[in-house]
């Protein structure tokens, strides 16, 4: 009986440790910017934010002072959001409230330590992946301040 009890305790501890080290991915609801989610129709974006400041030849949209860049995919008349990048503190934030200009520490406090990081041209990139690995939330950081936020979809 004692042997069965010890085996059961061992299996429970093994299960708990496996769960605590399991990779945590973000939900699609967590990967958004300015209330806009990936794969939403551009018509929805325009209902909320109006006509873009500029439409590029590839169908990408620039809003405000060009600090919001939205890339698209699909056919004319049925374009959808492929990525959004915010490069200024312009009111666009993640569903958790993180925006450009905030301190880097809020990223891990909010989303945890399960991220990929790399440096390029003096900018630290912090990337969180979605459950389905088709969506990403990326923060660009320099001098401990968030320079940009990017949400993107693999197509």
């Amino acid at each position: 009986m004692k042997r069965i009890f010890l085996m059961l305790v061992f299996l429970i501890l093994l299960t708990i440790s496996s769960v605590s080290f399991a990779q945590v991915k973000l939900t699609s609801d967590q990967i958004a910017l300015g209330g806009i989610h990936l794969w939403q129709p551009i018509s929805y974006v325009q209902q909320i934010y109006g006509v873009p400041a500029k439409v590029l030849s590839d169908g990408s949209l620039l809003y405000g002072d060009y600090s919001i860049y939205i890339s698209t995919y699909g056919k004319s008349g049925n374009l959808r959001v492929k990525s959004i990048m915010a490069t200024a503190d312009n009111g666009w934030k993640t569903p958790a409230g993180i925006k450009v200009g905030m301190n880097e520490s809020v990223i891990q406090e909010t989303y945890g330590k399960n991220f990929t990081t790399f440096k390029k041209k003096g900018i630290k990139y912090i990337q969180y992946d979605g459950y389905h690995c088709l969506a990403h939330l990326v923060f660009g950081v320099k001098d401990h301040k968030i320079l940009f936020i990017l949400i993107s979809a693999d197509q």
Side-chain angles (χ1 to χ4, degrees), residues 107-142:
I107 300 170
Q108 280 190 43
E109 291 169 8
T110 304
Y111 296 108
K113 295 180 180 181
N114 186 31
F115 57 85
T116 305
T117 187
F118 61 93
K119 274 194 159 187
K120 187 175 181 181
K121 296 185 181 179
I123 297 173
K124 177 180 175 183
Y125 291 76
I126 300 171
Q127 177 176 314
Y128 292 87
D129 296 324
Y131 274 114
H132 41 72
C133 294
L134 293 174
H136 313 281
L137 173 61
V138 181
F139 298 92
V141 176
K142 187 170 186 173

Side-chain angles (χ1 to χ4, degrees), residues 33 61-63 66-71 81 83-88 90 92 100 125 138 140 147-152:
L33 199 53
L61 311 175
L62 296 172
Y63 276 90
Y66 299 170
S67 63
I68 297 294
Y69 170 82
I70 301 175
S71 71
V81 174
S83 70
I84 303 173
M85 179 181 247
T87 59
N90 48 24
W92 287 54
V100 172
Y125 291 76
V138 181
L147 288 180
F148 66 83
I149 302 172
L150 168 71
I151 64 170
S152 67

Side-chain angles (χ1 to χ4, degrees), residues 24-31 111 128-132 137:
V24 177
K25 303 281 186 174
L26 299 182
T27 66
S28 60
D29 288 341
Q30 292 175 295
I31 302 176
Y111 296 108
Y128 292 87
D129 296 324
Y131 274 114
H132 41 72
L137 173 61

